[in-house]
């Protein structure tokens, strides 16, 4: 009976572990889903902003054209002319803001490209310096090896091991 009770307790513990594992998997799946939804929402927001910028630019052009037309056709209606000019100016101001934001974005991208170029150049210089250091070590090692004395042809002194074998 005690063994059966221990077996039931062990099975209950394993079932609890399996349940916790399943809950953890479900939680991870939910977090992955939320992350994907957040990314999709971010992309949708970027598209919306781009569309707004495009619409603002078109609106600015349209307002500017309307203002010019109103000035040419309705000189007698000064109040309408002033109001139209105000709307056109506001649209141009918004378009300028959008244009500045786009320029700042481009500058940021260019800075990132320049930073990457500098990083690549630094890596290349580092690699070059390492190769130079290896060449310098090899040169020093070669200089540190004693040179064989010049042979006058009369003695075995200064004959290399390879030459001695030939002799």
């Amino acid at each position: 009976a005690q063994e059966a009770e221990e077996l039931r307790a062990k099975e209950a513990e394993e079932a609890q572990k399996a349940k916790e594992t399943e809950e953890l998997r479900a939680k991870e799946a939910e977090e992955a889903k939320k992350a994907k939804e957040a990314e999709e929402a971010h992309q949708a927001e970027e598209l919306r902003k781009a569309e707004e910028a495009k619409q603002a630019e078109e609106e600015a052009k349209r307002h500017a054209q309307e203002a010019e037309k109103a000035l040419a056709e309705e000189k007698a209606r000064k109040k309408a002319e002033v109001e139209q000019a105000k709307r056109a100016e506001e649209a141009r101001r918004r378009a300028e803001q959008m244009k500045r934001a786009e320029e700042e974005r481009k500058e940021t991208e260019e800075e990132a490209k320049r930073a990457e170029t500098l990083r690549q150049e630094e890596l290349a210089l580092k690699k070059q310096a390492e190769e130079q250091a290896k060449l310098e070590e090899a040169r020093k090692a070669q200089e540190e090896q004693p040179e064989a004395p010049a042979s006058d042809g009369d003695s075995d002194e200064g004959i290399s091991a390879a030459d001695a074998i030939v002799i």
Side-chain angles (χ1 to χ4, degrees), residues 120-133:
Q120 293 294 334
E121 290 174 357
E122 286 175 1
L123 288 174
L125 288 174
K126 183 178 178 183
K127 185 175 180 182
Q128 185 180 10
E130 288 172 358
E131 289 177 10
Q132 188 66 34

Side-chain angles (χ1 to χ4, degrees), residues 59-60 62-64 66-67 70 79-94:
E59 185 179 344
R62 184 175 52 80
H63 281 298
E66 289 173 2
K79 186 176 179 181
E81 174 184 301
V82 170
E83 187 61 32
Q84 185 67 24
K86 285 180 184 178
R87 285 198 322 242
E89 183 57 34
E90 179 62 24
R92 278 193 287 273
R93 187 185 61 76
R94 285 194 311 255

